[in-house]
């Protein structure tokens, strides 16, 4: 039991812990005292609070907004002294837009918004000091947060719990503390039906509230009747995060007779209908006006300095006002649906799927999503991918793969057909034990491969990526899109696709590595003349660095990945040079430093052969030095594509010799070939069509006349186009395995082939095969040696969740203090 006097003391202490300078505070929320105290403490001290659910991946938010303080269930983590943000004086809270599928878009809320909304809710619900509300919704959700604010405003009690309404412990706690209310989204009421809520004895229950999506009219009537019989009321409400939670409510006495209505505006708010073309007279977009309307959206830290954009909100709902003054929503102006209380933009879901190479139509299925798609994926994988991009549980999605997307005669999507197609059963999963594969490939303890971690989280890089992709392909029968970032649990759920599917999936970057090394060896051996493989490999290297080194992980982890990558390339290269010097004069002492292009000799026909390795290592050293800078690290996280594009522009400027260095053809084989690496880097960070198109155009223009050989230029351009636009290809399963093995051995093949193929003078084909075989053999031998000599790494867990807290902040003690009220 925690009194308001106790709460005020803890809030003051939390405010002092967060510091006097106004800062951006990311708060990982749970329904417990720790979260409540630090939320109110941050508001009391004038900070800006960004609530997010605990135990989730917040890398996108951290990457975009770079908060000054992070409060987790384990404690307060100050990321810097003071703040690097320009925060508007009125700004108080930032809430994520529910179901966002793109870059983190936040709703900016002021203290006025919070206070106005809490006061209006407390007014129409008639919240009393004797009320005690159970927290059935997370505080990171506008609905859950509004319950906290409105009850604290009236000095009422809060029963803080992480328990679900299906848990017996929830109801024991609710009865023990004489709970009077709890909030629910439509799914909550489904759960109440399952547990026999209508037979429960809850003598202190005074009212229920419902929001977060439309509750079916029949269920509204039934709960209204149940409440009338048991002595409690049902408040059906309408709102949005952009309105700090609430815009309308249906008076309880009308719930039985007008269950489809959203009711009347909240106190202090008003509606008007803006007529929309194509809808009957008196019908149009519902527009709300009130003091609780947000200041506006934030798409980047720069937006945190902006002021309010007005007190009017266009809801996007098509509505009408009935003769008795109630409002009814009859459609959507834009394609949004609500699932589990999350607002999902169907167009954004389709766009997100398209970004991952899946052409799809997506529509609503009442309480879920229906999706139909073409392309190399099965129904189960499509369902998981759709759930991932929409941010909803997978069991709310029904999916189907089709030869062609259904269209109306007008050419528009046939969404009713999508619903019918998605009603077909999906393929049952057949999971495999992937954790041992992760542990074996990455040489870490199996216990470190926890369900929420991905290949990147576990320390995977561009060198272990090939082996992992091949073994995953064997285990799953396919490679899910962006698999390297998917948690292990999602990969385990992937299962194997139906046997009727032809061939296997091969990552384009892996295929290009295999093809490029064969072209390099074949051209050097005189089997054919198809030059440009090394420059293509440079682009693939940049692509992999962008994916595996420049990740949302902390800066120290980034630097560790880069150091590991550099060592895996530089150490075997230096060892091979040292060994070669024992039996030949092909190389020079400068090659031991991987600096022949810098130190010379420049007249040797053989010392410059390892130019690709030298260029790659020194580029990686440069990237590592940049990442060691906190300023560069911050800018790269905030603007990943823009930073890569700047370096690509710089590389192209060197390609055109704007500095007047006049290196001529020598620039092909020096660090000035950096622009190929930068192009791959930019391709990895390109997330939209126009960004990919821009990188493609820059590469195409830069290649014109670069080699003076149109065939070579077209070949390199084709490779880059595949890398940019086609993340994976399907090919015979046997070829996938061979390509993976050859790609994995590309470094050792490159290092040794100069000494191998000459042994088969007059038989270039045999020399090429022998060179690749030696590279593969050395790769396998080094892998085995590394496993024997290097200790298995034990990876720390990223998140640890504590137990559930169940406490009441109530009116006992009589001191209702100013601190909670300032939280609004």
């Amino acid at each position: 039991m925690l009194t308001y006097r106790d709460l005020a003391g803890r809030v003051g202490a939390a405010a002092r812990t967060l510091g006097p300078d106004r800062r951006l505070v990311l708060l990982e929320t749970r329904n417990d005292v720790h979260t409540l105290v630090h939320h109110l403490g941050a508001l009391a001290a004038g900070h800006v609070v960004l609530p997010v659910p605990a135990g989730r991946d917040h890398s996108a938010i951290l990457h975009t907004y770079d908060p000054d303080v992070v409060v987790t269930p384990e404690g307060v983590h100050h990321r810097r002294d003071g703040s690097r943000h320009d925060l508007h004086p009125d700004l108080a809270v930032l809430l994520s837009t529910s179901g966002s599928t793109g870059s983190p878009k936040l709703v900016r809320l002021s203290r006025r918004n919070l206070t106005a909304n809490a006061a209006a809710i407390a007014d129409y619900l008639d919240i009393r000091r004797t009320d005690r509300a159970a927290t059935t919704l997370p505080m990171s959700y506008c609905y859950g947060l509004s319950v906290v604010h409105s009850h604290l405003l009236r000095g009422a009690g809060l029963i803080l719990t992480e328990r679900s309404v299906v848990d017996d412990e929830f109801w024991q706690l609710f009865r023990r503390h004489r709970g009077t209310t709890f909030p629910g989204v439509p799914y909550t009421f489904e759960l109440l039906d399952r547990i026999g809520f209508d037979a429960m004895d809850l003598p202190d229950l005074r009212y229920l509230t419902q929001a977060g999506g439309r509750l079916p009219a029949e269920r509204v009537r039934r709960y209204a009747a149940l409440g009338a019989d048991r002595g409690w009321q049902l408040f059906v409400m309408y709102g949005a995060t952009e309105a700090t939670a609430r815009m309308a409510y249906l008076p309880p006495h009308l719930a039985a007779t007008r269950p489809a209505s959203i009711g009347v505006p909240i106190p202090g708010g008003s509606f008007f209908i803006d007529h929309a073309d194509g809808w009957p007279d008196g019908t149009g977009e519902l527009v709300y006006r009130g003091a609780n309307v947000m200041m506006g959206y934030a798409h980047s830290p720069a937006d945190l300095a902006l002021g309010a954009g007005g007190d009017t909100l266009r809801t996007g709902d098509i509505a009408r006002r009935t003769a008795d003054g109630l409002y009814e929503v009859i459609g959507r102006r834009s394609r949004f649906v609500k699932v589990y209380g999350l607002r999902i933009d169907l167009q954004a879901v389709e766009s997100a799927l398209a970004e991952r190479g899946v052409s799809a139509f997506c529509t609503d299925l009442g309480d879920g999503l229906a999706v139909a798609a073409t392309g190399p994926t099965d129904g189960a994988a499509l369902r998981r991918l759709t759930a991932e991009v929409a941010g909803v549980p997978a069991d709310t999605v029904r999916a189907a793969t089709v030869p062609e997307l259904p269209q109306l005669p007008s050419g528009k999507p046939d969404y009713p057909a999508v619903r019918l197609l998605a009603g077909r059963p999906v393929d049952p999963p057949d999971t495999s034990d992937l954790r041992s594969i992760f542990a074996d490939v990455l040489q870490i303890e199996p216990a470190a491969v926890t369900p929420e971690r991905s290949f990147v989280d576990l320390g995977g890089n561009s060198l272990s990526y090939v082996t992992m992709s091949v073994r995953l392909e064997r285990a799953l029968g396919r490679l899910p899109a962006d698999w390297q970032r998917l948690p292990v649990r999602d990969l385990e759920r992937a299962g194997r696709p139906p046997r009727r599917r032809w061939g296997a999936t091969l990552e384009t970057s892996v295929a290009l590595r295999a093809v490029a090394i064969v072209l390099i060896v074949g051209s050097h051996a005189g089997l054919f003349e198809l030059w440009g493989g090394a420059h293509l490999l440079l682009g693939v290297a940049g692509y992999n660095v962008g994916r595996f080194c420049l990740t949302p992980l902390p800066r120290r982890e980034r630097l560790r990945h880069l150091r590991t990558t550099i060592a895996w390339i530089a150490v075997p290269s230096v060892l091979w040079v040292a060994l070669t010097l024992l039996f030949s004069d092909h190389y020079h002492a400068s090659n031991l430093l991987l600096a022949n292009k810098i130190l010379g000799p420049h007249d040797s026909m053989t010392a410059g052969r390892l130019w690709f390795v030298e260029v790659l290592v020194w580029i990686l050293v440069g990237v590592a030095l940049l990442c060691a800078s906190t300023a560069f690290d911050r800018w790269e996280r905030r603007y990943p594509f823009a930073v890569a594009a700047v370096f690509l522009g710089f590389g192209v400027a060197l390609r055109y010799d704007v500095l007047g260095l006049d290196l001529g053809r020598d620039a092909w084989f020096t660090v000035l070939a950096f622009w190929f690496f930068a192009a791959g880097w930019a391709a990895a960070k390109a997330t939209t069509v126009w960004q990919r198109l821009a990188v493609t155009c820059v590469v195409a223009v830069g290649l014109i006349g670069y080699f003076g050989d149109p065939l070579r230029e077209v070949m390199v351009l084709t490779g880059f186009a595949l890398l940019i636009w086609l993340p994976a290809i399907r090919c015979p399963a046997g070829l996938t395995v061979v390509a993976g093995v050859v790609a994995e051995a590309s470094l050792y093949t490159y290092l040794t082939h100069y000494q191998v193929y000459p042994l088969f003078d007059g038989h270039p084909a045999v020399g090429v095969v022998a060179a690749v075989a030696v590279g593969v053999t050395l790769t396998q031998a080094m892998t085995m040696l590394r496993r024997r000599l290097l200790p298995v790494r034990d990876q720390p867990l990223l998140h640890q969740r504590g137990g559930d807290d169940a406490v009441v902040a109530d009116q006992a003690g009589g001191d209702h203090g100013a601190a909670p009220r300032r939280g609004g």
Side-chain angles (χ1 to χ4, degrees):
M1 184 78 72
L2 187 70
T3 68
Y4 267 71
R5 186 188 303 276
D6 298 332
L7 179 62
R10 293 197 188 187
V11 167
R16 291 188 292 273
T17 299
L18 293 172
D21 296 329
R22 192 160 185 256
R23 297 196 282 177
L24 177 60
V25 178
L26 184 141
L27 175 63
E28 290 193 2
T29 66
R30 299 186 69 194
N31 290 335
D32 58 16
V33 171
H34 176 83
T35 296
L36 178 65
V37 164
H38 283 88
H39 171 69
L40 297 177
L43 291 177
H47 301 299
V48 176
V49 186
L50 201 174
V52 295
R56 304 277 185 86
D57 179 10
H58 306 302
S59 56
I61 291 286
L62 290 168
H63 170 76
T64 303
Y65 291 96
D66 192 19
D68 305 304
V69 183
V70 175
V71 180
T72 68
E74 290 73 38
V76 178
H77 309 280
H78 296 269
R79 305 179 80 197
R80 62 183 64 89
D81 294 326
S83 176
R84 62 181 46 162
H85 298 290
D86 184 6
L87 304 171
H88 192 276
D90 295 337
L91 185 62
V93 170
L94 297 166
L95 291 179
S96 177
T97 55
S98 300
S100 175
T101 55
S103 298
K105 183 171 75 170
L106 303 181
V107 168
R108 298 183 290 119
L109 300 177
S110 67
R111 291 178 178 273
R112 176 173 178 260
N113 295 151
L114 299 175
T115 303
N117 192 68
I121 293 172
D123 187 359
Y124 73 77
L125 291 180
D126 187 24
I127 297 176
R128 307 165 187 173
R129 292 178 60 182
T130 54
D131 280 324
R132 293 179 175 89
T135 54
T136 55
L137 302 171
M139 289 192 206
S140 56
Y141 177 28
C142 67
Y143 187 6
L145 194 61
S146 72
V147 172
V148 172
H149 287 168
S150 58
H151 282 73
L152 291 178
L153 188 66
R154 290 290 178 91
L158 292 172
I159 304 173
L160 302 176
T161 177
E162 289 277 287
R163 300 289 184 183
S164 166
V165 294
V166 299
D167 297 329
D168 289 339
E169 293 85 353
F170 174 89
W171 296 109
Q172 292 170 10
L173 188 68
F174 193 81
R175 292 187 187 97
R176 184 166 68 249
H177 293 288
R178 302 178 62 184
T180 61
T181 184
F182 61 88
V185 296
Y187 184 62
T188 308
F189 287 81
E190 289 184 24
L191 296 178
L192 293 178
D193 285 347
R194 298 177 191 174
I195 63 173
F197 176 76
D198 56 351
M200 285 186 178
D201 180 24
L202 302 170
D204 297 295
L205 182 62
R206 199 165 71 83
Y207 64 90
L208 299 183
T209 62
Q210 183 274 319
R214 185 189 294 271
L215 194 64
E218 181 276 333
R219 187 165 281 158
V220 173
R221 289 193 189 95
R222 182 155 49 83
Y223 273 86
L226 179 63
D229 182 61
R230 297 297 181 87
W232 49 263
Q233 296 178 314
L234 173 66
F235 285 83
V236 176
M237 307 182 299
Y238 168 85
T241 309
E242 290 84 345
T244 323
R246 206 58 56 229
M247 291 182 281
Y249 73 101
L250 181 64
H253 70 278
L254 298 175
T257 57
R258 301 298 302 277
S261 172
I262 64 170
V264 297
I266 65 173
S270 63
F271 286 128
F272 69 88
I273 303 294
D274 185 12
H275 179 69
D277 293 337
W279 293 89
D281 291 340
T283 303
E285 185 177 10
L286 185 64
V287 183
Y288 174 80
R289 181 177 289 120
N292 55 316
V293 172
M294 65 175 178
M295 299 174 67
Y297 291 112
H299 299 273
S300 70
D303 296 333
L304 305 185
L306 301 178
D311 62 355
T312 300
L313 176 66
R314 305 188 72 89
T315 67
D317 284 325
I318 301 299
R320 63 188 172 209
R321 187 175 186 270
T322 59
D324 54 0
L326 301 180
Y327 288 85
E328 292 182 347
V329 173
I330 60 175
R332 303 290 297 178
R333 183 162 192 146
S334 56
R335 297 179 56 235
F336 286 88
V337 297
K338 278 198 173 181
V339 179
Y340 283 130
L342 301 178
R343 189 175 62 181
I344 308 300
D345 182 345
L346 296 175
Q347 184 58 52
V349 173
E350 291 181 358
S351 299
L353 290 173
E355 292 287 339
R356 301 190 180 206
V358 178
S359 178
F361 289 161
C362 187
T363 187
D364 71 288
L365 237 137
D367 58 350
L369 301 180
V371 60
T374 61
T377 185
D378 62 276
L382 176 61
R383 179 180 62 181
R384 287 187 297 273
L385 181 59
T386 303
E388 177 189 342
V389 300
V392 299
D395 61 2
T396 65
V397 179
R398 297 293 178 268
T401 56
V402 293
E404 293 183 3
L405 292 175
Q407 294 182 335
L408 299 169
S410 63
K412 295 181 179 180
D414 187 353
Y415 288 114
V418 172
R419 293 189 184 95
L420 293 175
L421 291 167
R424 298 172 181 171
V426 298
D427 301 309
D430 178 18
T431 59
S432 302
D433 180 13
L434 301 181
R435 301 185 194 190
S436 60
I437 298 178
F438 272 86
D440 184 45
V441 173
L442 299 176
Q443 282 296 281
I444 57 179
E445 290 286 354
V449 187
T450 52
E452 75 279 2
R453 309 192 73 182
S454 69
F455 174 77
V456 172
D457 295 334
L458 291 165
N461 57 28
S462 59
L463 297 173
S464 55
Y465 171 78
V466 176
T467 303
M468 193 70 215
S469 66
V470 172
R471 295 189 62 175
L472 270 184
E473 171 67 32
R474 294 173 185 169
L476 300 178
R478 62 181 184 83
L479 285 175
D482 204 24
W483 66 264
Q484 67 274 8
R485 297 184 185 277
L486 294 180
V488 173
R489 61 168 170 259
D490 289 354
L491 292 173
E492 288 178 326
R493 292 171 184 164
R496 297 187 65 87
R499 292 185 179 181
R500 67 179 179 271
R501 292 174 55 79
W502 173 84
T505 304
L506 179 64
E507 289 272 349
T508 300
S509 62
V510 176
L512 290 176
R513 279 176 67 172
V515 171
I517 192 62
V518 171
L519 293 180
I520 290 170
V521 177
S523 297
H524 286 161
L527 180 62
F528 45 71
E529 286 195 10
L530 292 172
W531 303 102
H535 293 82
L536 187 54
L537 276 182
L538 205 54
V540 173
Y543 183 77
N544 286 331
V545 166
R547 290 197 298 170
F548 302 118
C549 295
L550 302 179
T551 65
L553 292 175
R555 184 164 59 95
R556 284 179 297 182
E557 287 298 304
R558 281 184 163 193
L559 290 172
R560 184 177 67 80
H561 283 188
L562 281 166
R563 288 196 302 268
T564 301
T565 302
I566 293 169
W568 279 26
I569 298 171
V571 171
S573 300
V574 171
L575 290 176
W576 179 251
V577 169
L579 179 62
T580 305
L581 285 174
L582 296 178
F583 60 83
S584 78
D585 59 356
H586 288 178
Y587 298 128
H588 188 269
S590 62
N591 291 115
L592 290 171
L593 301 175
L594 300 181
N596 170 260
K597 287 298 178 182
I598 301 172
L599 303 177
H602 301 294
D603 57 350
S604 170
M605 295 295 292
T606 57
R609 287 175 170 177
L610 300 182
W611 73 271
F612 167 77
V613 173
E614 292 186 5
V615 167
L616 180 56
V617 167
W618 289 110
I619 288 175
L620 291 175
V621 169
V623 173
L625 291 175
L626 286 171
C627 286
S629 162
T630 55
F632 175 84
D633 184 76
R634 180 174 67 251
W635 280 100
E636 198 284 329
R637 293 176 187 276
R638 189 174 299 176
Y639 309 109
F641 178 75
V643 169
V646 167
F647 278 90
L648 176 56
F650 173 71
V652 172
L654 293 178
R655 174 259 184 272
Y656 285 105
D657 198 21
V658 296
L659 299 178
L661 300 177
D662 195 26
L663 292 176
R665 292 172 63 89
D666 286 343
W668 294 4
F669 310 109
T670 68
V671 176
L672 297 185
F674 163 77
W675 74 278
F676 289 97
F677 179 94
W681 176 5
K685 297 301 182 182
T687 57
T688 64
V689 172
W690 76 262
Q691 289 174 345
R692 293 190 180 99
L693 187 61
V695 176
T696 306
C697 290
V698 170
V699 173
V701 172
L703 279 170
I704 297 175
Y706 186 80
F707 298 113
D709 180 354
L711 177 61
R712 187 175 186 177
E713 291 158 5
V714 169
M715 189 188 73
V716 175
L717 176 60
T718 301
F720 268 97
L722 290 172
L723 190 68
I724 295 167
W725 295 99
L726 188 65
I729 58 176
R730 292 200 67 80
C731 59
L735 183 58
T736 299
V737 175
V738 172
V741 171
V742 173
E744 183 185 12
S746 57
L747 173 62
Y748 288 95
T749 302
Y750 184 87
L751 290 174
T752 61
H753 79 282
Y754 291 108
Q755 285 73 43
V756 175
Y757 73 78
L759 300 176
F760 302 90
D761 190 25
H763 302 281
V766 177
V768 171
V769 173
V772 173
V774 168
V776 170
T777 301
L778 278 175
T779 300
Q780 298 299 321
M782 291 303 297
T783 300
M784 294 175 61
L785 182 62
R786 214 167 26 239
R787 290 175 178 175
R788 291 194 174 204
L789 296 181
L790 297 182
V792 174
R793 294 180 290 120
D794 186 11
Q795 294 280 336
L797 296 179
L798 291 179
H799 300 288
Q800 293 182 347
R801 299 188 63 176
D804 295 334
D805 283 325
V807 288
V808 176
D810 73 7
Q811 74 281 5
D815 187 346
H816 298 286
R821 291 179 179 270
R822 289 183 65 185

